[in-house]
Amino acid sequence: MRTDPRQPSVAAGSAAAIAATELADAADAHAGVETRQATGGELDRALAGFEATWGVGRGPDRSMLQAIAHAGNTLLVAVQGFETRASLAPRPAGGDVVGATLGFLGWEGGLHLHSHMNAVDPAARGRGIGLALKLRQRALCLEHGVDEIRWTYDPLIRRNARMNLVRLGAEVAAFHPDFYGRLDDAITGADRSDRFEVRWRLASARTARALALGPQPAWSARAGFALVPDFEALRADAPADAARLREHSHEAFAALAAPGLRPELDAAGDYVFTSDDPDREAE
């Protein structure tokens, strides 16, 4: 089912999978958490984290989480207090869950994990917990021979664009206008749920460069779109201005229908639309 010849094949137990686990462990240590599959006793805490982020009733219910976890999909938690993973003994449940992420397998366009929700306790943000959860997701996927993760994000939120495209090395695969319809949740409110879908080729040269904090290429630009520093603040404080920016973005993102054209971030944190090889190195 592989569709991209640039994506190398990764086998469970390979050097790439082992290195990914080591990188995830290091991210845990930096954030002061342990990221791992949720146990049965932690499902309620994971659900509470999702509802604290998006609003009550805006996530899957507990029975759905139970089924997803039972099937072996990635329902991960970040538990406060890092402990060494040298021991194979499981850590007892019941710790302080400060983050959670949910992903499930898909096969549209090739086997991949769709990472659907990622939440971090507001009091624990800024420590790298969200990154640690993503890196654990990556490690688990590579351990199971899955070499691609996909997810969606609001293309107008600059910090998410930077995390996804620059820090992780994912790339935009599609623009989906009003993807989820009207959400009326704690994040989006009445705004349209426009989304970029990204694909994270887990063992690609692009991902290796990003995770090693290597320099970004100076992308050649055929068009572009300037982002505001904090679209969420603009949406809260000046909703009419935010709505106008959303409309302008639709016009700009229409250019992405051209074959081979995708958005990247330039040094200023704005989108440039390029047809450069996504795996190219900085010169």
Side-chain angles (χ1 to χ4, degrees):
M1 299 178 70
R2 188 176 306 281
T3 60
D4 191 338
R6 297 170 303 172
Q7 179 77 335
S9 177
V10 178
S14 67
I18 293 170
T21 298
E22 292 173 349
L23 187 62
D25 290 349
D28 279 7
H30 177 78
V33 296
E34 180 185 15
T35 56
R36 52 171 168 74
Q37 289 283 144
T39 66
E42 293 164 340
L43 296 184
D44 289 329
R45 295 181 181 88
L47 180 58
F50 295 145
E51 291 191 334
T53 300
W54 284 278
V56 175
R58 296 298 177 177
D61 63 22
R62 192 189 186 286
S63 64
M64 180 64 72
L65 288 183
Q66 174 69 32
I68 289 171
H70 179 75
N73 283 282
T74 57
L75 176 57
L76 308 182
V77 290
V79 181
Q80 182 72 41
F82 176 80
E83 293 180 6
T84 179
R85 303 177 68 91
S87 171
L88 296 179
R91 177 175 176 168
D96 186 9
V97 173
V98 292
T101 191
L102 169 65
F104 44 83
L105 289 177
W107 52 76
E108 176 66 27
L111 183 66
H112 64 279
L113 182 87
H114 183 83
S115 183
H116 183 53
M117 305 182 85
N118 196 60
V120 175
D121 186 328
R125 290 174 186 168
R127 290 168 38 190
I129 295 172
L131 175 63
L133 284 164
K134 279 292 188 193
L135 292 178
R136 184 64 60 194
Q137 235 181 9
R138 173 177 178 260
L140 289 171
C141 282
L142 290 175
E143 285 178 13
H144 289 83
V146 177
D147 51 27
E148 183 172 308
I149 299 178
R150 302 178 196 169
W151 63 91
T152 64
Y153 78 95
D154 186 333
L156 298 188
I157 299 179
R158 178 183 274 173
R159 62 182 173 80
N160 287 349
R162 182 168 295 281
M163 168 62 79
N164 296 334
L165 306 186
V166 178
R167 183 64 183 90
L168 295 175
E171 63 203 78
V172 175
F175 172 53
H176 301 297
D178 208 19
F179 184 56
Y180 297 107
R182 181 161 170 160
L183 290 171
D184 286 320
D185 62 14
I187 294 178
T188 306
D191 190 12
R192 286 190 300 200
S193 58
D194 293 349
R195 295 293 185 267
F196 275 166
E197 181 179 7
V198 298
R199 56 197 300 261
W200 194 17
R201 295 180 289 118
L202 303 182
S204 67
R206 175 189 178 94
T207 294
R209 180 193 71 226
L211 296 183
L213 302 178
Q216 290 288 300
W219 305 105
S220 61
R222 290 172 51 184
F225 183 77
L227 294 172
V228 296
D230 190 343
F231 178 76
E232 291 167 300
L234 181 70
R235 186 163 55 192
D237 299 336
D241 291 342
R244 280 191 291 271
L245 185 63
R246 181 74 71 187
E247 289 293 338
H248 294 331
S249 74
H250 273 234
E251 299 169 9
F253 298 156
L256 299 176
L261 202 61
R262 73 180 188 285
E264 298 281 1
L265 284 187
D266 64 13
D270 296 321
Y271 288 122
V272 292
F273 303 159
T274 183
S275 57
D276 291 352
D277 181 351
D279 286 323
R280 62 170 286 215
E281 296 294 331
E283 298 178 355

